[in-house]
Amino acid sequence: MLEVTCNDRLGKKVRVKCNPDDTIGDLKKLIAAQTGTRCDKIVLKKWYTIFKDHIKLQDYEIHDGMNLELYYQ
Amino acid sequence: MANRTVKDAKSVRGTNPQYLVEKIIRSRIYDCKYWKEECFALSAELLVDKAMELRYIGGVYGGNIKPTPFLCLVLKMLQIQPEKDIVVEFIKNEEFKYVRALGALYMRLVGTSLDCYKYLEPLFNDSRKLRRQNRSGSFELVHMDEFIDELLREERMCDIILPRIQKRHVLEENNELEAKVSALEDDLEEGMESSGDEDDAPVKAPEPPPAPVDNHWPTSRSGGGGGGGGGAGGGGGREEKTRRPSPPRRRSPSRDRDRDRARERDRDRRRSRERDRRGTERDVKKARRSRSRDRRHRSKSPIVASGRRDRDRDRDHRTTRDNRDTRDTRDNRDMRDGRDNRDMRDRDRDNRDTRDSRDTRDNRDNRDTRDNRDNRDNRDSRDMRDSRDNRDSDRRRDRDVDRGRARY
């Protein structure tokens, strides 16, 4: 179980607990549950790398405490 | 600006029609290549052509939110706001299913609840397959009637939030709409009585094309027409509908081909005859022309013979002949530079004494190196005016002119 922080620099900062073998899509659903936006409106990025929905967190090497950038589409 | 809605557009749902598409997706559409290249200055007619080239429906896809051409055309339609007749034409058109899907989505976005049910429900009978691109970029299969069902039922379609329309039973209670008769209803009843579906070709007249007036769209007609065999009627009607356009297409190419071949034959015959005729004329003209040209040429030729032109033209050039250096420089005894490069080899570079390669000629006199041409031979090019014309009487006049003083 790891905890990831998502920040959109405009006031929305959420901490989400998830498993390493969850996909990004699952993480987006968890974020959507906490922030209130729809899950398909969320884009997770780190600098210019857009995280794809079907890949697991452990494959992206997202560890506990990591910050992800929250964008919208 | 290219992205503004047309000036006299009606506001849809109380707002700029383009705002039906959300801001972020709208920006992505404005930035995409398809919009900039293909959707610039599209009118309703050109839009039809673009719509006919559509190959799939879809919203946005990919991590960086790329819009599909279908979505770009939807936004374009919202921007130019075509008339309702045109949209109804899009929907009624049978040949291009993606044009139909485009019209249906547009109608769902801007039409009233009544219009939506009225125009979209007949499309339930169309069960052709559509290609849809989903979020991840891969394609999936949907059918037209599924698509229409989703349009009427769901909240979001192709990444556009669909405006709310009234529920069907509300309209039925207000008697604006007749009760929905499903095309499958009779089929279901029959299916319960007998075991299988019937496969006769039904009287399923295709409501879409001939009916120009809106009143011919009531759902009861589609239900009644499908009564002969609802689902099977749908199946047989489907075949009929798809079959009907093709036969005329099959016949005409061969007919056209024969017609064209005959025409070509005539054309070739005519052309060859003309060519022969024209060829003889051309030869005659060519012969005549060449003879005349020869004549003129011969008259022009004596440049060598007459010295008249030569004299005038070469007046300025003649003096260079006189200015030529007449000395024999073959020996170059005096003109030669004492520094002979034969001795300027690298290995001898440091050993060379530059004193020996100095120019030892005495230049004080310059008798031999002086240019002997200067004053003696330029007799012809000398300006003969100089001393003779500046006589005293003219000097003052010239002086005044030079100073710029006007002679009053």
Side-chain angles (χ1 to χ4, degrees):
Chain A
M1 203 69 172
L2 53 92
E3 187 174 66
V4 171
T5 312
C6 300
N7 191 358
D8 74 344
R9 306 266 171 195
L10 294 170
K12 230 174 242 180
K13 187 165 176 181
V14 295
R15 282 179 310 162
V16 178
K17 282 182 102 64
C18 52
N19 290 322
D21 56 354
D22 287 340
T23 62
I24 294 283
D26 299 336
L27 178 63
K28 284 186 183 177
K29 292 196 176 108
L30 293 167
I31 294 171
Q34 272 195 278
T35 61
T37 48
R38 291 176 63 96
C39 53
D40 50 1
K41 291 284 177 192
I42 292 176
V43 177
L44 290 173
K45 282 207 234 180
K46 222 164 156 58
W47 195 226
Y48 283 117
T49 310
I50 300 176
F51 289 127
K52 296 201 166 82
D53 283 0
H54 58 281
I55 299 182
K56 294 198 188 132
L57 291 182
Q58 65 199 14
D59 294 334
Y60 269 129
E61 297 194 4
I62 296 177
H63 302 303
D64 187 28
M66 209 153 157
N67 273 309
L68 302 180
E69 296 162 14
L70 188 61
Y71 289 89
Y72 300 100
Q73 71 81 11
Chain B
M1 225 186 27
N3 291 332
R4 290 177 70 78
T5 320
V6 78
K7 274 229 170 64
D8 52 355
K10 296 190 273 38
S11 81
V12 171
R13 320 277 166 179
T15 160
N16 185 345
Q18 282 195 84
Y19 292 176
L20 283 174
V21 181
E22 288 164 334
K23 177 76 166 87
I24 300 183
I25 297 186
R26 216 183 327 133
S27 313
R28 300 294 303 160
I29 296 178
Y30 290 154
D31 291 338
C32 86
K33 208 159 78 96
Y34 185 82
W35 177 267
K36 289 184 177 167
E37 287 180 352
E38 316 280 336
C39 297
F40 184 73
L42 272 191
S43 66
E45 300 90 34
L46 298 174
L47 187 82
V48 179
D49 298 332
K50 292 276 180 237
M52 293 199 298
E53 293 168 12
L54 280 175
R55 307 276 295 128
Y56 53 92
I57 64 177
V60 295
Y61 69 97
N64 54 348
I65 321 295
K66 288 171 49 156
T68 56
F70 184 79
L71 193 61
C72 295
L73 287 182
V74 172
L75 185 63
K76 195 68 191 177
M77 285 182 81
L78 286 172
Q79 189 182 26
I80 62 178
Q81 289 245 303
E83 302 290 329
K84 185 176 169 188
D85 315 332
I86 301 181
V87 184
V88 173
E89 273 309 309
F90 272 35
I91 295 178
K92 282 193 202 168
N93 142 77
E94 284 217 352
E95 208 178 327
F96 297 97
K97 50 192 178 180
Y98 293 105
V99 175
R100 198 175 234 187
L102 182 68
L105 178 57
Y106 183 78
M107 177 59 89
R108 173 67 174 85
L109 289 177
V110 305
T112 62
S113 311
L114 198 58
D115 284 339
C116 286
Y117 287 114
K118 211 164 33 162
Y119 291 111
L120 295 189
E121 281 189 348
L123 295 186
F124 279 136
N125 300 324
D126 182 359
S127 56
R128 287 181 288 188
K129 295 185 202 158
L130 293 174
R131 208 181 287 127
R132 174 154 68 189
Q133 187 174 38
N134 59 16
R135 248 325 166 74
S136 58
S138 48
F139 290 90
E140 55 193 23
L141 195 67
V142 294
H143 295 89
M144 178 74 84
D145 41 9
E146 283 178 53
F147 179 68
I148 303 295
D149 185 50
E150 287 169 7
L151 274 184
L152 289 177
R153 214 180 283 275
E154 292 213 4
E155 274 188 2
R156 320 185 102 245
M157 192 65 197
C158 296
D159 295 309
I160 306 177
I161 298 238
L162 301 177
R164 291 181 193 266
I165 53 175
Q166 291 182 307
K167 298 274 186 240
R168 199 186 163 77
H169 66 265
V170 175
L171 293 174
E172 285 173 17
E173 282 166 18
N174 290 342
N175 289 330
E176 291 176 25
L177 215 53
E178 294 162 5
K180 174 150 192 238
V181 182
S182 164
L184 297 174
E185 198 173 295
D186 296 322
D187 186 41
L188 283 175
E189 287 177 7
E190 284 178 21
M192 287 205 285
E193 292 170 6
S194 66
S195 49
D197 291 339
E198 297 171 1
D199 275 4
D200 337 323
V203 188
K204 180 65 176 270
E207 302 81 24
V213 187
D214 293 332
N215 303 333
H216 288 275
W217 277 112
T219 46
S220 62
R221 187 144 174 266
S222 66
R238 212 184 314 141
E239 284 163 29
E240 259 193 36
K241 253 187 271 171
T242 55
R243 233 190 294 130
R244 206 172 298 112
S246 51
R249 251 188 268 133
R250 250 189 294 119
R251 245 184 288 132
S252 45
S254 60
R255 239 192 290 137
D256 286 345
R257 228 183 298 130
D258 294 332
R259 214 178 335 130
D260 288 336
R261 236 185 276 134
R263 227 189 292 138
E264 279 189 43
R265 241 182 290 126
D266 293 331
R267 218 188 300 140
D268 288 336
R269 228 181 291 133
R270 262 185 285 123
R271 217 190 295 145
S272 63
R273 253 186 267 124
E274 280 188 31
R275 227 183 285 131
D276 295 332
R277 246 187 289 121
R278 251 189 284 123
T280 57
E281 292 179 9
R282 237 189 286 135
D283 293 333
V284 168
K285 272 204 226 136
K286 213 194 295 175
R288 261 191 274 127
R289 225 184 296 131
S290 63
R291 262 181 269 131
S292 61
R293 224 187 286 135
D294 288 335
R295 254 187 262 123
R296 277 167 57 220
H297 176 69
R298 235 179 277 123
S299 73
K300 261 214 302 203
S301 64
I303 295 179
V304 179
S306 78
R308 241 180 295 118
R309 300 179 60 200
D310 174 54
R311 216 182 291 148
D312 292 334
R313 211 191 317 140
D314 290 341
R315 190 176 29 145
D316 300 318
H317 295 310
R318 225 171 344 123
T319 53
T320 57
R321 242 184 327 121
D322 292 338
N323 287 342
R324 251 185 310 171
D325 192 355
T326 50
R327 285 176 294 166
D328 185 10
T329 55
R330 258 183 300 158
D331 245 355
N332 283 350
R333 268 182 308 236
D334 295 327
M335 295 287 284
R336 219 182 316 163
D337 196 350
R339 289 173 279 172
D340 195 347
N341 284 337
R342 234 186 308 128
D343 296 333
M344 293 291 231
R345 288 198 197 109
D346 275 338
R347 60 186 149 101
D348 300 329
R349 198 169 25 132
D350 301 322
N351 301 334
R352 239 180 278 119
D353 191 0
T354 52
R355 242 187 326 124
D356 292 338
S357 53
R358 245 186 316 175
D359 190 357
T360 51
R361 284 179 294 169
D362 186 6
N363 287 330
R364 258 184 299 149
D365 235 356
N366 285 346
R367 267 187 307 246
D368 293 329
T369 57
R370 218 187 323 169
D371 192 356
N372 285 325
R373 284 179 288 167
D374 283 351
N375 299 318
R376 257 185 295 132
D377 284 353
N378 282 347
R379 265 188 303 243
D380 292 336
S381 63
R382 232 186 313 168
D383 194 351
M384 300 306 285
R385 283 180 293 148
D386 288 353
S387 47
R388 260 186 293 133
D389 286 353
N390 282 346
R391 295 197 193 107
D392 283 327
S393 57
D394 297 333
R395 215 181 299 143
R396 215 179 294 115
R397 182 191 52 178
D398 291 339
R399 213 174 350 129
D400 288 349
V401 167
D402 288 341
R403 293 236 186 102
R405 225 178 285 149
R407 255 181 305 145
Y408 292 115

